Amino acid sequence: MLYIVATPIGNLDDITLRAIKTLEEVDFIFAEDTRVTKKLLNHLGIEKIVYRYDEHTKMHQVSNIANMLENGNKIALVTDAGTPCISDPGFEVVDEALKRGIKVIPIPGPSAMTAAASVAGISTRRFCFEGFLPKKKGRQTLLKSLAEEERAIVIFESPHRIEKTLRDIETFIGVREVVIVREITKIYEEILRGTTTELIEKLSKNPIKGEIVLLIKGNEK
C-alpha cells in the first residue's frame, strides 16, 4: 500500500494525527530530501528507514518502490513540505503503483497553495494553479495565454525572481491586483497586497526572502 503523506510547510505543529500514525506504521519512507524528513521524524520521535526520491533519483526509484509495494511493504511518500505531487515529485510513482493494481491512499494535510488562497482576499472560488513558471523557454507564451484567464491564478515563486515575475506579469498580462504570501506558517509569515506596479516599487526598495505563493486576480471582463 502506498501512502501520499502531506507534511508541514513550516510550522511542525501542522502535522495531522493521521499523518503521524501513518509514518509510524509504514515499513519505509521515501522523501524528497532525507535530511528534512529525518528532522521531522526526530521531532515526532519516529525511527524509520528513509530513502531518497526526487527529480534526480525517480527514474530508478519508481520501479524499486513499485517492487517493494508488490512484496507487501507499506510505503509513505513525502516531500520537503506540503502535499506530494503538487509541483513536487511523486506523480510517476503513483502512476506506476496504480498500473500494477496497488492501492494508493492520500493522507491530506498542509498545502501552501490552498493556505495562501484562503487568506488572499481575492475571489478563489475558481482558480488555476500553474506551479512554478518556466524560467526561460515557454515563459512568455504561458503568460500571454493567461491574459484572458478569468479565474484567479496561483503560482509558486522564489524571492530572487519575484520582482522579475511581477514585471513580466505587467508586460504580458497587464497591471493586475496581486497578493504575495511568503513564509506561510513560519515565524516571518507576511502577506503583501496591491497592484503589480505597487509591489514592484515596494520590492525594489525592500527585497523579500523566503518561499512565495503569488496570487493574481483574474481578468474581469
Side-chain angles (χ1 to χ4, degrees):
M1 207 169 295
L2 176 62
Y3 297 89
I4 308 303
V5 183
T7 54
I9 54 179
N11 191 322
L12 296 182
D13 288 341
D14 289 335
I15 189 79
T16 68
L17 295 176
R18 189 179 178 204
I20 295 173
K21 183 179 179 181
T22 300
L23 293 174
E24 289 174 335
E25 294 180 350
V26 295
D27 298 298
F28 304 102
I29 298 172
F30 281 80
E32 185 178 7
D33 188 325
T34 58
R35 295 166 299 180
V36 173
T37 299
K38 285 178 180 178
K39 286 181 181 179
L40 174 64
L41 295 177
N42 289 337
H43 176 75
L44 298 173
I46 299 173
E47 291 187 10
K48 199 71 61 172
I49 297 175
V50 182
Y51 293 109
R52 185 179 175 188
Y53 178 87
D54 58 14
E55 290 295 332
H56 303 291
T57 62
K58 67 182 182 183
M59 295 307 293
H60 71 269
Q61 285 289 38
V62 167
S63 59
N64 289 342
I65 294 172
N67 291 335
M68 292 170 72
L69 289 166
E70 285 188 326
N71 288 331
N73 291 294
K74 294 180 179 180
I75 292 176
L77 178 69
V78 302
T79 56
D80 288 350
T83 304
C85 307
I86 310 297
S87 278
D88 272 318
F91 160 74
E92 294 85 358
V93 72
V94 171
D95 184 49
E96 182 64 22
L98 294 173
K99 286 177 179 176
R100 298 196 190 194
I102 297 166
K103 190 171 184 179
V104 180
I105 299 176
I107 307 298
S111 168
M113 173 181 64
T114 52
S118 71
V119 296
I122 61 176
S123 176
T124 52
R125 184 180 65 84
R126 297 172 63 239
F127 67 88
C128 66
F129 175 63
E130 293 292 337
F132 287 97
L133 297 176
K135 294 179 182 178
K136 293 181 180 179
K137 186 177 180 180
R139 183 181 179 91
Q140 180 176 325
T141 301
L142 175 60
L143 288 171
K144 284 183 177 179
S145 72
L146 295 173
E148 300 302 316
E149 177 60 67
E150 297 181 11
R151 297 171 295 177
I153 303 163
V154 184
I155 64 173
F156 290 156
E157 194 50 277
S158 66
H160 65 274
R161 285 199 301 267
I162 184 63
E163 190 176 339
K164 180 183 185 304
T165 294
L166 292 174
R167 293 183 187 279
D168 286 346
I169 290 170
E170 280 206 342
T171 300
F172 302 114
I173 296 180
V175 176
R176 288 288 178 87
E177 182 180 339
V178 294
V179 181
I180 293 174
V181 183
R182 75 174 189 94
E183 293 292 89
I184 194 164
T185 80
K186 300 177 183 178
I187 295 175
Y188 298 106
E189 176 180 292
E190 182 180 24
I191 302 174
L192 304 174
R193 299 180 175 89
T195 65
T196 46
T197 304
E198 291 169 344
L199 292 187
I200 288 170
E201 182 179 357
K202 184 169 186 175
L203 296 186
S204 66
K205 298 176 181 177
N206 300 290
I208 56 176
K209 298 179 180 180
E211 297 177 341
I212 294 168
V213 181
L214 175 65
L215 298 99
I216 309 164
K217 192 170 185 178
N219 186 351
E220 297 181 327
K221 295 184 177 179

